[in-house]
Amino acid sequence: MLTTAEFFQYTQWSGIATLVFAVLAILAFLFKWGIRFRLVGITGFMLVLTVGLFSLSIVPLSRTVIPGSAKYTLVYDNGSNQAVIAISPKLSPDEVEATLLQAASNLYSFGRSGRQGDNQLTVRARTIIHPEPGLSIPLYLGDVKRSLANREDQDLTVTIYSEKFAQLPKSHA
């Protein structure tokens, strides 16, 4: 993943290119070149590109890394206060807890809002089990609740459904 310093360097190069195209566009209008309007379009595009790169050089793109967390896939997000992630059925309860903490950190956003007095983001972890051929059942293994108002929330509530782990298929290794 690119760092903010690299984006700032790209911003500088893009800014220089924008200025070059702006000078070319001015020269094209002074000398009535046929490509003058194309140069105006190129200059405008380069300006938008430079502003975008500059914004990426300001905002950090790094995510918090929780040791022991596993890969997950976001399968549902209402954009407000509920999300569901899919995880592997081979994870231990400790790995599920770390993965839930990772997801709660990654899914936090200032744009989320609570509904009907619920000002907490709830992230649930689920896996799919197949008890018999042709039958798939979602199995929820845990959830985490965090504040929607505070990014540095220290009062995360993680609940692991220990009784659900008994329903997971045993590995054949």
Side-chain angles (χ1 to χ4, degrees):
M1 178 178 279
L2 297 174
T3 64
T4 54
E6 290 170 322
F7 276 116
F8 187 69
Q9 183 179 9
Y10 298 145
T11 301
Q12 291 172 338
W13 285 104
S14 181
I16 291 168
T18 302
L19 291 175
V20 168
F21 281 114
V23 168
L24 281 173
I26 291 170
L27 287 174
F29 271 97
L30 291 176
F31 295 113
K32 299 190 187 310
W33 294 343
I35 63 166
R36 62 183 175 253
F37 295 109
R38 290 182 187 137
L39 287 171
V40 170
I42 292 169
T43 304
F45 173 75
M46 289 301 298
L47 184 64
V48 169
L49 183 66
T50 303
V51 169
L53 287 170
F54 178 70
S55 67
L56 289 172
S57 72
I58 294 174
V59 178
L61 298 174
S62 61
R63 300 215 183 253
T64 306
V65 177
I66 306 292
S69 65
K71 182 180 175 188
Y72 67 89
T73 304
L74 182 66
V75 292
Y76 174 76
D77 188 351
N78 69 356
S80 178
N81 63 348
Q82 293 181 11
V84 177
I85 60 171
I87 58 174
S88 169
K90 298 174 182 165
L91 297 181
S92 69
D94 291 334
E95 290 171 320
V96 171
E97 180 177 356
T99 304
L100 281 167
L101 292 172
Q102 179 76 50
S105 175
N106 290 349
L107 294 174
Y108 176 82
S109 171
F110 289 111
R112 291 184 180 273
S113 62
R115 287 189 177 172
Q116 301 167 352
D118 184 12
N119 289 328
Q120 289 198 326
L121 170 63
T122 303
V123 180
R124 298 172 74 192
R126 71 125 168 100
T127 190
I128 301 289
I129 58 171
H130 308 283
E132 59 186 62
L135 180 63
S136 299
I137 300 174
L139 183 66
Y140 289 91
L141 299 176
D143 65 38
V144 62
K145 294 181 188 244
R146 67 157 300 137
S147 170
L148 285 170
N150 183 8
R151 178 153 188 75
E152 303 300 326
D153 186 11
Q154 299 299 322
D155 297 325
L156 286 108
T157 306
V158 180
T159 307
I160 300 297
Y161 309 139
S162 303
E163 67 280 359
K164 301 287 184 167
F165 282 88
Q167 297 177 24
L168 291 175
K170 305 298 179 221
S171 64
H172 299 291

